């Protein structure tokens, strides 16, 4: 029985997968690695040595017009603060298999309080 064209070799399957992969299996680059899908990710040293201090980003898109080594990708992101607000737009060079998808940070709504002594 022939394998489907989009099947993954058994050697690349992970039995103990804890996080949702950062790659879309149906979108493959010329080097055989998968493309990064938009979403919110935690970037640590697993994604690149530059992230000794982990950061949370929202991926805008993968830069397909730039060349990269096998297993690496250029991505455009917004770096997020602890409230989930974009604080910087960046282009990063990362290993997609080291990106960990996380839920978006929850927005905390502030309660407006009347000034002391103000009549309402």
């Amino acid at each position: 029985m022939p394998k489907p064209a989009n099947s993954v070799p058994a050697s690349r399957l992970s039995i103990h997968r804890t996080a949702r992969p950062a790659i879309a299996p149906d979108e493959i680059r010329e080097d055989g690695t998968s493309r990064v899908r938009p979403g919110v990710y935690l970037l640590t040293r697993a994604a690149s040595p530059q992230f000794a201090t982990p950061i949370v980003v929202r991926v805008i898109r993968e830069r397909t017009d730039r060349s990269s080594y096998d297993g690496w990708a250029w991505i455009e992101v917004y770096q997020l603060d602890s409230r989930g607000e974009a604080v910087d737009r960046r282009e990063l060079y990362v290993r997609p298999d080291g990106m960990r998808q996380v839920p978006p940070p929850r927005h905390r709504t502030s309660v407006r309080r009347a000034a002391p002594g103000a009549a309402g």
Side-chain angles (χ1 to χ4, degrees):
M1 177 178 205
K3 290 184 182 178
N6 61 353
S7 68
V8 176
S11 62
R12 288 184 44 195
L13 290 176
S14 173
I15 296 171
H16 303 288
R17 189 173 272 165
T18 57
R20 202 164 128 193
I23 52 179
D26 57 335
E27 298 179 13
I28 306 295
R29 292 195 304 250
E30 289 178 8
D31 65 6
T33 57
S34 300
R35 297 196 185 281
V36 178
R37 64 173 89 151
V40 177
Y41 296 92
L42 175 66
L43 302 182
T44 63
R45 284 183 185 248
S48 177
Q50 65 185 312
F51 303 117
T53 302
I55 63 171
V56 177
V57 298
R58 181 179 309 276
V59 173
I60 303 167
R61 68 183 178 115
E62 180 179 350
R63 295 287 308 263
T64 56
D65 57 332
R66 293 183 134 181
S67 62
S68 62
Y69 290 104
D70 290 352
W72 290 80
W74 281 99
I75 56 175
E76 283 187 34
V77 302
Y78 288 113
Q79 185 172 342
L80 305 178
D81 64 9
S82 61
R83 297 178 311 191
E85 308 255 337
V87 292
D88 196 13
R89 185 172 177 156
R90 299 175 66 178
E91 287 187 11
L92 303 172
Y93 192 58
V94 298
R95 292 179 48 90
D97 60 351
M99 297 171 62
R100 189 172 65 178
Q101 193 164 20
V102 294
R106 293 183 179 223
H107 292 284
R108 292 186 179 153
T109 56
S110 60
V111 178
R112 294 184 75 178
R113 298 175 190 235

